[in-house]
């Protein structure tokens, strides 16, 4: 029996980012008591480029139009030294540009409307997996839940408290919200731009927001690059000069699924807490939303029975995401660790490769479907690396 003052839940979702909110939304209307436990007060800032790919938008059961600052139906892949440029365009948006405080808040509000109870200002500090439930301690409030969905991001407290191995392939990225004069920003406002060949083993991006640009750099090699220096070089290369205003923040993106992901009874890890960002693009919102939804579906399909829920989540995640991320990891190795091969490939197949990436990020295809296509030269990635 829960002690007095303890809130008893069927499902406790820890973290109200895209992964947690998507899980809560998917559990709506199932007759379950669902609590969404978040350490911050909402809306809260999240360091992120705020580029939501079409494949992520497609997964969502609610419109996020109110949080979108700009729609980009053009994606530009630029390579430096040698200089190459590939442009893909669609009739619909390829990347929807958002600020994460509003985007995440919109999803959380939708989850609450779907029936989740939101507990903000509650940082989870203890997690104890007991015989019939998980006991979750936050300042001033204890929760008990039959299943926990851990959506608490790359620094997951739940992973630490349940003694999960540390995440591997966590890549650093620097994101800057910058303002220039309207005249300077105008040429960057129509497209999502990705620049390769400048940042060591990584890339730079320019994402246009309503009144400013989000410019960032990320590298797959920790310690190989000084991101502030790479960022300055990138601004120079873009011919942008000194910004009128600039807010700079660095953070980490986990690009390899966490080891021991399915080994804690009653606890399902999703999103960054599970290490599910795409290793090619370092984009994590799709993996967050998809894994959150799959965890929710597993809870329903497994009728809250811990073993069945975990087995169902493991099988569905493997099929829908992990297999794809494995191929993406090989492609990322080729792209970031083999620069000469990357240049050769782009010289020879640039337009096709850029078109394939556009088809992947829009959800028209997947990494797995691409390498499975008979005759496709990328099928080598099934065995490589
Ligand atoms: C610089 C940078 C740029 C990026 N750009 C993009 C991009 O353009 N597009 C893209 O798709 N991805 C991008 N990403 C990755 C993306 O931000 C993440 O993959 C995504 O936010 C993961 O979502 P999530 O819900 O798993 O975790 P998060 O969004 O990190 O949410 C976790 C939530 O858990 C809460 N929390 C943490 N600890 C606790 C606790 N102890 N108790 C309770 N609550 C807790 C946090 O406050 C937070 O609200 C970028 C990342 C970085 C660092």
């Amino acid at each position: 029996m829960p002690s007095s003052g303890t809130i008893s839940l069927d499902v406790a979702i820890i973290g109200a980012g895209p992964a947690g909110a998507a899980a809560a939304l998917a559990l709506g209307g199932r007759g379950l008591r669902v609590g969404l436990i978040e350490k911050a007060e909402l809306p809260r800032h999240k360091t992120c480029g705020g580029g939501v790919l079409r494949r992520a938008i497609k997964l969502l059961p609610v419109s996020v139009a109110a949080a979108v600052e700009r729609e980009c139906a053009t994606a530009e892949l630029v390579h430096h030294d040698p200089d190459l440029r590939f442009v893909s365009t669609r009739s619909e948006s390829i990347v929807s540009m958002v600020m994460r405080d509003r985007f995440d808040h919109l999803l959380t509000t939708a989850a609450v409307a779907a029936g989740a109870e939101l507990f903000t200002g509650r940082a989870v500090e203890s997690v104890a997996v007991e015989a019939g439930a998980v006991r979750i301690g936050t300042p001033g409030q204890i929760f008990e839940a039959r299943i926990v969905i851990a959506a608490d991001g790359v620094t997951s407290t739940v992973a630490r408290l349940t003694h999960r191995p540390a995440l591997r392939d966590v890549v650093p990225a620097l994101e800057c919200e910058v303002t220039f004069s309207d005249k300077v920003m105008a040429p960057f406002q129509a497209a999502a731009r990705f620049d390769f060949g400048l940042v060591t083993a990584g890339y730079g991006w320019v994402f246009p927001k309503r009144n400013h640009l989000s410019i960032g750099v990320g590298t797959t090699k920790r310690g190989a690059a000084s991101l502030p220096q790479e960022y300055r070089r990138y601004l120079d290369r873009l011919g942008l000069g000194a910004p009128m205003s600039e807010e700079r923040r660095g953070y980490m993106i986990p690009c390899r699924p966490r080891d021991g992901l399915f080994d804690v009874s009653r606890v399902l890890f999703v999103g960054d807490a599970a290490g599910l960002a795409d290793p090619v693009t370092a984009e994590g919102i799709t993996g967050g939303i998809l894994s959150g939804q799959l965890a929710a579906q597993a809870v329903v399909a497994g009728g809250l029975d811990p073993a069945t829920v975990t087995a169902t989540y493991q099988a569905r995640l493997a099929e829908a995401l992990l297999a794809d991320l494995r191929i993406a990891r090989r492609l990322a190795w080729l792209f970031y660790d083999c620069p000469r091969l990357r240049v050769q490939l782009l010289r020879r197949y640039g337009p096709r490769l850029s078109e394939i990436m556009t088809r992947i990020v829009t959800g028209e295809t997947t990494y797995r479907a691409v390498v499975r296509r008979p005759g496709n030269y990328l099928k080598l990635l099934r065995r490589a690396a």
Side-chain angles (χ1 to χ4, degrees):
M1 285 290 287
S3 58
S4 89
T6 298
I7 295 179
S8 190
L9 301 165
D10 292 312
V11 185
I13 301 169
I14 300 172
L25 253 172
L27 285 169
R30 307 287 184 166
L32 298 171
R33 187 170 184 196
V34 177
L36 188 49
I37 304 169
E38 164 61 47
K39 74 172 174 189
E41 295 298 342
L42 304 180
R44 57 98 183 89
H45 173 84
K46 163 78 179 91
T47 300
C48 182
V52 187
L53 301 181
R54 175 122 215 107
R55 67 180 177 185
I57 299 277
K58 277 179 174 169
L59 290 169
L60 289 169
V62 293
S63 166
V64 290
V68 175
E69 302 216 343
R70 258 178 218 277
E71 298 285 12
C72 289
T74 298
E76 209 177 338
L77 191 162
V78 180
H79 195 283
H80 300 262
D81 308 324
D83 292 350
L84 304 163
R85 185 169 172 272
F86 309 101
V87 177
S88 296
T89 301
R90 291 287 184 279
S91 54
E92 282 185 309
S93 185
I94 297 172
V95 191
S96 300
M97 301 299 178
V98 306
M99 292 305 289
R100 285 289 302 275
D101 51 354
R102 286 180 62 208
F103 177 75
D104 291 16
H105 194 219
L106 187 154
L107 290 182
T108 301
T109 305
V112 170
E117 294 170 58
L118 179 63
F119 303 93
T120 57
R122 302 275 184 208
V124 169
E125 293 176 342
S126 66
V127 172
V129 181
E130 296 171 353
V134 183
R135 206 170 158 76
I136 301 154
T138 70
Q141 185 62 62
I142 304 283
F143 298 87
E144 272 187 9
R146 294 176 69 188
I147 299 287
V148 168
I149 297 181
D152 52 344
V154 63
T155 57
S156 177
T157 302
V158 180
R160 180 171 51 78
L161 292 171
T162 55
H163 312 294
R164 292 306 80 217
L167 285 165
R168 293 187 286 152
D169 294 359
V170 178
V171 310
L174 186 67
E175 194 271 330
C176 311
E177 310 287 339
V178 280
T179 316
F180 300 90
S181 69
D182 289 349
K183 193 168 157 222
V184 170
M185 289 196 289
F188 295 93
Q189 271 162 352
R193 174 174 171 150
F194 304 88
D195 289 73
F196 294 86
L198 277 183
V199 179
T200 311
Y203 74 91
W205 72 83
V206 184
F207 288 174
K209 303 290 171 69
R210 187 175 296 125
N211 298 314
H212 71 275
L213 302 175
S214 163
I215 302 183
V217 288
T219 175
T220 57
K221 296 277 168 289
R222 268 181 155 173
S226 156
L227 286 182
Q229 278 172 22
E230 303 260 5
Y231 165 70
R232 283 285 154 223
R233 259 186 337 124
Y234 184 37
L235 284 192
D236 288 347
R237 224 20 209 271
L238 293 169
L240 281 169
M244 288 158 55
S245 70
E246 182 179 66
E247 273 180 49
R248 256 204 260 174
R249 290 189 180 91
Y251 209 52
M252 299 160 290
I253 311 175
C255 294
R256 184 186 281 265
R258 189 187 287 280
D259 296 329
L261 203 53
F262 307 104
D263 294 351
V264 187
S265 177
R266 298 186 184 275
V267 180
L268 308 178
F269 292 92
V270 299
D272 275 10
L276 300 179
D278 179 325
V280 176
T281 60
E283 173 266 344
I285 295 175
T286 307
I289 292 171
L290 181 57
S291 57
Q293 291 175 337
L294 294 172
Q297 288 165 17
V299 167
V300 174
L304 293 173
D305 171 64
T308 316
V309 167
T310 299
T312 307
Y313 178 54
Q314 180 165 7
R316 292 189 185 185
L317 193 71
E319 173 59 27
L321 190 58
L322 297 182
D324 219 42
L325 292 181
R326 260 197 307 279
I327 309 279
R329 210 157 47 245
R330 291 169 193 162
L331 186 58
W333 165 79
L334 192 155
F335 226 69
Y336 298 118
D337 291 52
C338 314
R340 285 169 63 181
L341 189 55
R342 175 184 72 216
V343 167
Q344 279 173 19
L345 277 174
L346 284 177
R347 277 212 165 107
R348 190 144 178 212
Y349 304 109
R352 273 177 69 192
L353 273 175
S354 132
E355 188 54 29
I356 285 173
M357 271 318 290
T358 305
R359 294 186 63 227
I360 289 171
V361 301
T362 52
E364 293 160 42
T365 189
T366 60
Y367 291 107
R368 205 151 55 129
V370 168
V371 300
R372 272 182 177 168
R373 257 187 46 211
N376 192 304
Y377 48 92
L378 286 176
K379 67 175 179 291
L380 293 174
L381 293 175
R382 286 159 75 173
R383 274 164 294 161

